Structures are given as C-alpha cells and as structure tokens.
Amino acid sequence: MTTRTKGVLVFLLLAFGLSWAGMFIARLGFGLSLVNPLVQLAGIAFTPAIAAFVVRKWVTREGFADTGMKPRIRQNIGLYLAAWLGPLAFAAIAIGIAVAVGMWEFDASAFELIPGQPAWVAIGALLLVVIVLTPIYWGEEYGWTSYLRLRLFPERPFVSTLATGLIWAVWHYPLAFLGYIEFANVALGLAVWTVSFMFQEVILTWFRMRSGSVWAASLAHAGNNMVLALLVGTALGDDQPITQTLIGTVPMVVLALWIILSGRLAADRPETAVPEPRPALAARS
C-alpha cells in the first residue's frame, strides 16, 4: 500500500467515522435535531477538515503546501464574485423553470423572509450571511475538494471529481434517516441527491483549481446551501425535497457540463499539485 493510498483510507475512515458518530449520537443518543446549526457545527461540519489535517500532519506527513489556504482574492476577484452571486443566479433560473412548467405561480411576497421588509432586503441579507458562514463550509471543502479530490486518481481529474462527489454524497446519507431531510421515496431521493452532489463537486473543484484557493470553493458551497437551496425551497416548499433538488440542480448541470466539455476541469494550476509524501524517519540507533 502506497503512502498516498494509506492517507486516503485513513482520511475516509476519520471523515466518515467522526461525522457519522456525531450524527447518530446527537440524534439517537440525545434526541437532538440535526437541523439545529449548533449540532451541525459541533459534530459534523468540521470533521472532513479534521480528518485532512490529521492525515497531512501525522499519517503521510506530506504537509500543507497544496491546501489552498491563501485566499488570493485580488488575483481572482471575478471568480469570487461568481462564487458569491452564482447561487443567486442559479436560484433565479431554477425558480424560472418551476414557473415555466407550472410547478409554482410566481409570488414575490414568498421571499419576504424578514417581517415587514421587501424581498430584496431578505435576499441581500442572505448574501451577507453567505460570507459570514463561508468558514463553516470551509470545514467540508478543506477535506473533500482540497484534500481528497487531489488524491483520488490524480492523473484523471474528471474521474477524481466524480468519485469525490459520489463519496461526498454518501457521507450525507445518514441525514435522510435521522430527520434532517425526509424523502417520500428514499431510494429515489438519495439517487437524485447523489447526482446533485456530483455536479456540484464539478463546480466546486473548478473554483478551487482555477483560483488556487479553497476559500473560493467554500464561498460557492455556502451560497449553494444558503441561497440556492433556501430560495428554491421557499418557492416549492420543503415538503418536496426531491423536486426541489432536481429543479435546483438543473442550472448546476449546465455550468458543470460547460466546465467539463471545455476542458477547464483539467486545468489545474501548478500550485495545486500534490506534494510527495515524506518518507518515515529511520529509527535512531
């Protein structure tokens, strides 16, 4: 077994073990709701980052050269704006599709999420919340996109990205059985969820590689959850999670296919190259 393979296996064991244990203990042991942000923060959100840190530091000892921790905002201001505002555009497209096919009759008042304030104020507030919560979503991106994706099939970016998206989706599966999300048809719901995660991973990988920073991907991830999912859910209703996920995924599919077909997925910057794991130190005599 190579050092890199060992690192990936230990990362997966830690990322899944810590987070799944946290989910089941919180829900079944203490009766806590996984919808509660404090529960997510305490037991789930940072487990991929913890796993990646442990592996980099003590298992492979490869260090942190390719973590992408430098924001690089000045060099990538356009990408950051796209990561920040893109989910809002996705939401507008998804809601437009829902209206066009007769799934929802447009009503701007539905987005007046702050009592007494027009919809644009609530949407503006959501965009600010996205920035504030980006460090929370860094907890996942530091593990999945900035560690695992770089090490699964490193010579095949497309396969690596899809594999990472699949693993990332499976990591979420317990949520469908612990009250976080309720699918009327669990098998279909998980299938749709998985496809959505895989296309989302294409986009997040592109942000990570194109910018050379994990923070661009973290910002986009925060926007997908806090703007795209919330606004589409508000329009279609949280009682239709499968439909909501399908509609919300449509604009992501279009962008992801553009990234893949244009060859941008493989255009990794030099600074994202995976460093060689350090050999173990010989025992002193």
Side-chain angles (χ1 to χ4, degrees):
M1 180 185 296
T2 66
T3 302
R4 181 173 296 167
T5 300
K6 179 181 178 182
V8 168
L9 291 176
V10 173
F11 167 80
L12 292 174
L13 286 172
L14 288 174
F16 276 78
L18 292 173
S19 61
W20 283 17
M23 293 180 199
F24 281 97
I25 291 172
R27 183 60 180 162
L28 303 180
F30 295 96
L32 299 174
S33 171
L34 297 184
V35 178
N36 187 325
L38 294 179
V39 174
Q40 296 179 28
L41 184 62
I44 303 172
F46 289 99
T47 52
I50 293 171
F53 180 86
V54 168
V55 170
R56 288 175 179 278
K57 180 70 174 178
W58 292 295
V59 178
T60 62
R61 300 193 304 111
E62 62 203 88
F64 303 88
D66 67 330
T67 56
M69 282 298 294
K70 292 182 179 180
R72 302 179 184 273
I73 295 176
R74 183 178 300 177
Q75 304 96 312
N76 298 288
I77 186 65
L79 279 175
Y80 273 94
L81 286 174
W84 184 42
L85 300 177
L88 180 60
F90 284 168
I93 294 169
I95 292 169
I97 293 172
V99 172
V101 300
M103 295 178 59
W104 185 61
E105 185 174 343
F106 183 77
D107 178 10
S109 65
F111 304 108
E112 295 176 1
L113 305 177
I114 301 176
Q117 298 296 324
W120 67 267
V121 173
I123 293 173
L126 281 178
L127 290 173
L128 292 177
V129 168
V130 165
I131 296 175
V132 173
L133 294 184
T134 292
I136 305 299
Y137 290 93
W138 167 89
E140 288 191 50
E141 292 309 311
Y142 185 84
W144 304 122
T145 306
S146 215
Y147 177 79
L148 184 63
R149 189 273 172 195
L150 296 178
R151 286 155 181 79
L152 284 178
F153 313 107
E155 304 302 322
R156 303 170 67 186
F158 175 69
V159 175
S160 176
T161 302
L162 293 187
T164 300
L166 175 60
I167 293 169
W168 180 36
V170 173
W171 181 75
H172 285 82
Y173 280 8
L175 296 176
F177 302 94
L178 296 174
Y180 180 86
I181 189 170
E182 296 183 2
F183 294 120
N185 183 321
V186 177
L188 177 60
L190 291 179
V192 170
W193 224 14
T194 299
V195 171
S196 178
F197 276 113
M198 293 173 75
F199 278 109
Q200 186 178 175
E201 181 59 34
V202 171
I203 297 170
L204 296 178
T205 289
W206 179 67
F207 275 119
R208 165 68 180 89
M209 297 304 178
R210 185 70 184 88
S211 68
S213 173
V214 68
W215 291 105
S218 302
L219 179 63
H221 188 168
N224 286 341
N225 279 38
M226 300 306 303
V227 176
L228 173 59
L230 182 59
L231 293 182
V232 174
T234 298
L236 300 183
D238 290 332
D239 59 337
Q240 304 181 61
I242 295 178
T243 303
Q244 176 186 333
T245 303
L246 278 172
I247 294 295
T249 301
V250 171
M252 289 197 290
V253 169
V254 174
L255 179 57
L257 289 177
W258 172 75
I259 292 171
I260 294 169
L261 297 177
S262 64
R264 285 171 169 79
L265 191 62
D268 294 2
R269 287 190 171 188
E271 61 265 25
T272 65
V274 179
E276 288 298 321
R278 299 175 186 174
L281 293 174
R284 294 183 178 180
S285 56

